[in-house]
Amino acid sequence: MVGLGFRREFAEEMISGEHIRPDFIEFAPENWMNIGGYWKKMLHRVVEKYPVLCHGLSLSIGSPEALDKEFLQYVKTFLQEYNVQIYSEHLSYSKCDNAHMYDLLPIPFRMDAVKHIAGRIQEVQDFLQRPLVMEIVSYYTPVAAEMSEVDFINEVVKQSGCQLLLDVNNIYVNAFNHQYDAKAFIQQLPLDKVAYIHMAGHEQVAPDLIIDTHGEPIIDPVYDLFEWTLQHLQPVPVLLERDFNIPEMEALQGELTRLKTICHKQWKLKDELVA
Amino acid sequence: MNLLPDTYHIQQTFSGYCRTGEKVTLPGVAPDRLKHYRRLVFNMIQDTMENAFPIAFKHIPAGKWNKMVKDFFAHHACQSYQVWKLPLEFYTYAVENNWEDTYGIPFLNDLLAFEWAEMEVYNMEDMPAPAHALTGNWLDTPLVLNPEYQLLSFKYPVHLVAKPKALVQQKGIYFVLLFRDPETGNVEFMDLSPWLAFLTEQLVMGITVREILEYAPQLNITDTTTLEQDTLAFLKHMQQLHFVLGFQS
């Protein structure tokens, strides 16, 4: 299954299905909760047409302070109302000192942070009565790290029991920005925990820095890393994210088709080998 | 909480930098990389405010506007987990901190309130309309109004005039009705006279047009010869615009 992030900019096109037809859609509950009017109608129309996965923005699992239970209750109700099959979030924090930042800030790679986050993930999973799928985020500088990024992620997964969202573009971006081997990094992850994949484009802003913008087409090296990664995974849903600089639908459909072709090739091959 | 005080402090320092842009020292952090976080976070806040308040953004000098947004984000702890609701906090912060005087923009509160109301009414949760009939007696049957509306009063006609110089010369009392068309979802707004604003308030409470008209002399409306006719014409027009939905059944 290859899906596309649902955005207001191309809602009509996705509902008509004429020029773009993903296998499923994904959206952030925060962008659609507690709204009515035109966009609620559009949401209902698109949800009738496609299976839905949700990718949250404001949970802020890495926050020092307590979880927002009122927010979680809204999320729970929303996920039930729209029959959402996967709820994923970011392994980062976006709220501190009781103030939302509306962006993904990097968590210090430290053991006390691991324990703190693992406890919070378990709390969320218990509350929502479903596994939380945590995305490995792109980051531009480590912060007061006392352990490696991959050890940090492995410990969080081990201690919390969460699943992973592997954003292949993020791994590419991080490997470039922090000068490590993306494939070696992926091989060290608990790949049996990967429940979902994201793919996106990015922008290089300096000779040594890429920003994860979701505003450009996926580049070939990221497709290559994606294809290599699939060889090490069981089939899971794959999502194309495009949030800015929206192209013609034919171009987005082209990216979906390319992703789907790679999935079929790699996962069909794997099935044949197993058989 | 399992976080050690040092880790907690580091996270606070990092997020504090994103809010203020003021220089910090953090272990293991590359300063030239850190600045991108401030840029990305603050761009999101700027974009959100520009999109929510396009008229204010266009007519307030850029220096003042940027100072407002910076001040807001640095000193206000943003509470909404839905970014589209953040402009309400910006407007509230402006009122609480008396920005009209601080920045010398006497119509600021009205303008921010008007622009926010447009967004709020557009996005507000669906409200079921009470049961109603499409025909009835305009004078004696209580009317059913579209519940998705806001009635606001302003000192300046920010809903009619955009240019600051013209606005400040027209200080008075203004009323504006905003409502969401149930068919299109679009927000319509309309300047109301004090009488029509009063009428709308009373209709919402289920009072009949005849009873409201009887109250006119107490509002110092002495010329009542055409009042009934004009009032009914207004209401019939509002029915065409889907604000008056019908008659209580």
Side-chain angles (χ1 to χ4, degrees):
Chain A
M1 285 217 305
V2 178
L4 180 63
F6 178 59
R7 295 195 62 84
R8 294 183 182 200
E9 292 90 330
F10 46 83
E12 285 283 5
E13 288 88 341
M14 285 181 80
I15 289 167
S16 84
E18 194 178 337
H19 299 295
I20 188 122
R21 188 148 183 105
D23 296 327
F24 67 92
I25 58 163
E26 181 212 82
F27 50 77
E30 293 85 346
N31 291 341
W32 299 92
M33 287 191 299
N34 312 322
I35 62 157
Y38 176 78
W39 286 110
K40 181 154 191 177
K41 288 178 187 156
M42 293 295 276
L43 182 64
H44 283 178
R45 287 175 64 196
V46 79
V47 164
E48 278 173 16
K49 195 173 179 89
Y50 299 103
V52 177
L53 277 59
C54 274
H55 188 48
L57 297 169
S58 299
L59 178 63
S60 194
I61 204 72
S63 278
E65 53 246 40
L67 286 162
D68 182 343
K69 289 290 175 59
E70 183 189 316
F71 165 70
L72 269 179
Q73 184 57 56
Y74 276 118
V75 170
K76 186 174 185 175
T77 306
F78 186 89
L79 298 179
Q80 288 168 344
E81 182 181 354
Y82 291 100
N83 192 26
V84 174
Q85 297 172 16
I86 287 180
Y87 173 55
S88 60
E89 254 285 358
H90 301 90
L91 192 50
S92 64
Y93 73 111
S94 57
K95 187 183 181 190
C96 193
D97 288 331
N98 195 33
H100 283 277
M101 300 288 143
Y102 309 101
D103 210 335
L104 308 173
L105 309 188
I107 300 166
F109 300 143
R110 293 176 160 201
M111 195 52 85
D112 62 317
V114 168
K115 286 180 184 155
H116 177 68
I117 291 164
R120 286 161 65 86
I121 291 174
Q122 286 172 337
E123 204 179 336
V124 173
Q125 292 184 146
D126 289 347
F127 188 86
L128 297 179
Q129 291 292 296
R130 61 164 71 217
L132 199 48
V133 182
M134 298 305 304
E135 177 179 341
I136 302 167
V137 298
S138 50
Y139 65 104
Y140 310 119
T141 175
V143 185
E146 292 178 349
M147 59 200 294
S148 71
E149 180 192 359
V150 77
D151 287 347
F152 177 80
I153 293 162
N154 274 292
E155 279 298 322
V156 167
V157 172
K158 188 174 142 192
Q159 292 190 27
S160 71
C162 73
Q163 298 178 333
L164 275 182
L165 193 173
L166 187 59
D167 187 319
V168 176
N169 179 60
N170 286 356
I171 307 301
Y172 179 89
V173 168
N174 290 343
F176 181 90
N177 289 343
H178 309 297
Q179 298 177 350
Y180 60 67
D181 183 328
K183 290 179 182 173
F185 179 90
I186 290 171
Q187 276 180 320
Q188 292 175 74
L189 293 171
L191 295 178
D192 58 323
K193 299 290 186 187
V194 174
Y196 192 16
I197 291 178
H198 274 183
M199 285 286 282
H202 58 242
E203 185 182 355
Q204 185 167 349
V205 297
D208 63 346
L209 184 66
I210 293 175
I211 301 287
D212 177 28
T213 57
H214 300 180
E216 301 293 330
I218 301 166
I219 63 169
D220 285 344
V222 177
Y223 277 115
D224 293 343
L225 184 61
F226 172 69
E227 182 153 14
W228 178 88
T229 302
L230 295 201
Q231 295 166 24
H232 303 272
L233 295 177
Q234 293 301 314
V236 294
V238 175
L239 182 95
L240 171 63
E241 296 179 293
R242 188 60 181 262
D243 298 335
F244 302 102
N245 193 20
I246 308 294
E248 294 295 319
M249 289 302 103
E250 288 79 359
L252 279 184
Q253 183 60 53
E255 288 190 276
L256 289 176
T257 303
R258 186 167 173 185
L259 290 169
K260 210 164 185 168
T261 304
I262 295 169
C263 290
H264 282 162
K265 180 181 159 195
Q266 291 305 328
W267 282 331
K268 187 166 177 280
L269 189 66
K270 200 164 189 174
D271 282 349
E272 285 170 359
L273 287 173
V274 171
Chain B
M1 186 175 75
N2 291 302
L3 272 189
L4 296 174
D6 182 47
T7 306
Y8 194 156
H9 178 69
I10 286 165
Q11 289 191 258
Q12 285 179 307
T13 306
F14 195 100
S15 63
Y17 167 75
C18 291
R19 285 175 65 184
T20 66
E22 290 170 8
K23 193 177 175 186
V24 293
T25 305
L26 283 161
V29 169
D32 63 324
R33 298 279 180 94
L34 183 63
K35 70 183 182 189
H36 288 285
Y37 280 98
R38 164 67 179 172
R39 178 177 64 79
L40 294 168
V41 168
F42 193 65
N43 279 352
M44 162 70 92
I45 302 300
Q46 277 186 314
D47 289 349
T48 300
M49 297 311 157
E50 287 175 21
N51 290 331
F53 303 114
I55 304 171
F57 175 67
K58 184 176 176 188
H59 290 285
I60 293 173
K64 284 185 182 180
W65 179 261
N66 290 336
K67 195 161 180 272
M68 289 175 186
V69 178
K70 279 183 183 168
D71 177 6
F72 165 74
F73 192 56
H75 300 112
H76 170 76
C78 298
Q79 294 297 295
S80 178
Y81 48 79
Q82 293 181 280
V83 71
W84 76 266
K85 290 184 177 171
L86 193 55
L88 172 61
E89 296 182 36
F90 183 80
Y91 159 59
T92 307
Y93 188 83
V95 173
E96 288 173 352
N97 289 277
N98 198 23
W99 277 2
E100 284 187 339
D101 289 344
T102 307
Y103 290 98
I105 307 171
F107 56 86
L108 182 66
N109 292 352
D110 285 352
L111 182 53
L112 297 181
F114 175 58
E115 295 203 87
W116 165 249
E118 274 194 288
M119 179 176 276
E120 188 172 39
V121 172
Y122 183 71
N123 283 321
M124 70 194 293
E125 289 192 73
D126 294 338
M127 297 174 72
H132 57 272
L134 293 177
T135 55
N137 186 309
W138 281 96
L139 284 172
D140 295 316
T141 310
L143 300 181
V144 173
L145 304 184
N146 177 346
E148 296 167 349
Y149 80 99
Q150 282 190 27
L151 179 61
L152 304 174
S153 68
F154 295 139
K155 289 178 293 181
Y156 295 92
V158 291
H159 53 301
L160 303 173
V161 179
K163 294 194 172 169
K165 279 184 185 169
L167 261 178
V168 294
Q169 289 167 1
Q170 298 183 53
K171 189 174 180 182
I173 299 173
Y174 299 90
F175 297 93
V176 58
L177 174 70
L178 298 100
F179 60 97
R180 186 166 70 193
D181 186 315
E183 290 183 8
T184 65
N186 291 334
V187 175
E188 309 292 338
F189 69 90
M190 182 171 289
D191 180 62
L192 297 185
S193 67
W195 165 251
L196 292 178
F198 174 75
L199 171 81
T200 305
E201 279 185 337
Q202 303 305 307
L203 289 173
V204 169
M205 291 191 282
I207 299 170
T208 64
V209 176
R210 188 184 299 282
E211 289 167 328
I212 300 167
L213 285 166
E214 286 168 3
Y215 202 75
Q218 292 181 56
L219 298 174
N220 294 324
I221 301 175
T222 51
D223 182 7
T224 56
T225 48
T226 59
L227 189 64
E228 178 179 318
Q229 191 183 344
D230 292 346
T231 300
L232 292 180
F234 165 76
L235 291 171
K236 286 171 186 171
H237 178 58
M238 295 308 281
Q239 187 181 33
Q240 289 174 342
L241 297 180
H242 307 126
F243 179 65
V244 174
L245 299 178
F247 304 83
Q248 271 189 23
S249 55

